[in-house]
């Protein structure tokens, strides 16, 4: 059997994803191309295309590489704790790589690792906790959209720059027309980059959906 080429040995999914993420994180989304990535990896452009096919395939590879670090939750963990651990970690991964989030846009995040380590166990835990299938998927979608949205609109790696952009935009407003916004900059600017805005919202969603609480509280809507 012929030996796999050295070029393909260099183009492992892990190495491709790590190098692509490094380019995007350090140089911006515009810097990522198949030719640039192939050169960094020391492989031929055609070899990289054999691994990823196109940009969508490359981004899928990067997402799944990150998803591999989502936590394995021990059996018997309380639903609230397991849910918070999964979505906190997803948020941390996305917030650390805003360029990848921007490049992915509205495309679904459905790689094998994400399905295996987030979607499947979260839905299974929700069903085991007493939710109906419809309740389980609705609950998942609420937390997923909160997580993705919270990580999408601010580059948390540079909070000073994010606050400066907001400050400049709000400073241009007419105080007579926007008295509340312009009069409370000291409260608004920290909230722009405060991770607790997400963590607090996540905990509120989890509390509202907790099957252990809704089971003993008649009339509560999940």
């Amino acid at each position: 059997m012929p030996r796999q080429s050295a070029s393909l040995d260099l183009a492992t999914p892990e190495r491709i994803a790590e190098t692509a993420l490094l380019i995007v994180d350090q140089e911006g989304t515009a810097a990522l191309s198949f030719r640039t990535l192939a050169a960094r990896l020391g492989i031929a452009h055609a070899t990289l295309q054999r691994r990823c096919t196109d940009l969508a395939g490359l981004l899928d590879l990067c997402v799944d590489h990150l998803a591999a670090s989502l936590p394995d939750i021990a059996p018997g963990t309380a639903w609230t704790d397991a849910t918070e651990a999964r979505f906190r970690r997803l948020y941390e991964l996305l917030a650390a790589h805003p360029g990848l989030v921007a490049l992915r846009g509205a495309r679904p995040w459905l790689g094998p690792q994400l399905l295996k380590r987030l979607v499947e166990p979260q839905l299974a835990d929700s069903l085991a906790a007493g939710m109906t299938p419809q309740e389980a998927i609705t609950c998942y979608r609420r937390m997923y959209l909160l997580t993705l949205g919270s990580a999408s609109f601010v580059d948390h790696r540079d909070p000073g720059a994010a606050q400066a952009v907001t400050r400049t935009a709000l400073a241009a407003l007419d105080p007579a027309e926007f008295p509340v916004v312009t009069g409370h900059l000291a409260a608004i600017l920290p909230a722009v980059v405060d991770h607790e805005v997400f963590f607090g919202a996540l905990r509120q969603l989890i509390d509202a959906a907790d099957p252990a609480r809704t089971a003993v509280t008649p009339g509560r809507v999940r």
Side-chain angles (χ1 to χ4, degrees):
M1 179 182 294
R3 184 183 180 281
Q4 179 174 284
S5 71
S7 183
L8 285 178
D9 287 340
L10 291 173
T12 63
E14 294 77 15
R15 191 161 180 262
I16 292 171
E18 289 170 356
T19 306
L21 287 169
L22 193 63
I23 292 172
V24 172
D25 290 344
Q26 294 184 346
E27 304 173 40
T29 57
L32 182 64
S33 70
F34 267 48
R35 294 197 181 281
T36 299
L37 181 55
R40 298 286 177 86
L41 291 166
I43 62 175
H45 181 270
T47 300
L48 182 58
Q49 284 190 309
R50 288 172 61 186
R51 288 295 200 199
C52 304
T53 306
D54 55 17
L55 179 60
L58 173 59
L59 297 177
D60 287 342
L61 198 67
C62 291
V63 168
D64 232 36
H65 174 72
L66 293 179
S69 67
L70 289 169
D72 284 322
I73 306 297
T77 301
W79 181 86
T80 52
D81 294 338
T83 300
E84 183 169 4
R86 291 189 183 106
F87 284 97
R88 278 182 69 106
R89 182 56 180 154
L90 178 62
Y91 170 81
E92 291 165 354
L93 289 170
L94 298 179
H97 301 283
L100 175 63
V101 176
L103 285 171
R104 288 279 303 183
R107 295 183 63 242
W109 297 63
L110 294 174
Q113 287 292 342
L114 194 69
L115 289 168
K116 177 182 177 181
R117 303 178 75 90
L118 177 68
V119 183
E120 179 69 19
Q122 183 60 40
L123 293 179
D125 282 358
S126 294
L127 293 174
M131 290 187 187
T132 67
Q134 182 60 46
E135 288 170 342
I137 190 60
T138 298
C139 178
Y140 171 84
R141 287 289 295 173
R142 286 171 178 164
M143 295 178 193
Y144 168 78
L145 292 174
L146 169 69
T147 306
L148 187 58
S150 296
S152 296
F153 295 102
V154 177
D155 186 345
H156 289 282
R157 299 171 308 165
D158 191 353
Q163 286 182 317
V165 170
T166 303
R167 182 186 294 108
T168 300
L170 298 185
L173 298 176
D174 181 355
E177 188 174 0
F178 300 96
V180 175
V181 174
T182 58
H184 294 86
L185 289 181
I188 292 172
L189 293 177
V192 170
V193 294
D194 186 1
H195 293 292
E196 184 55 33
V197 171
F198 165 75
F199 295 138
L202 177 63
R203 285 191 294 269
Q204 288 180 328
L205 279 180
I206 290 173
D207 178 67
D210 182 3
R213 296 189 62 175
T214 57
V216 297
T217 310
R220 282 192 66 175
V221 179
R222 289 173 181 163

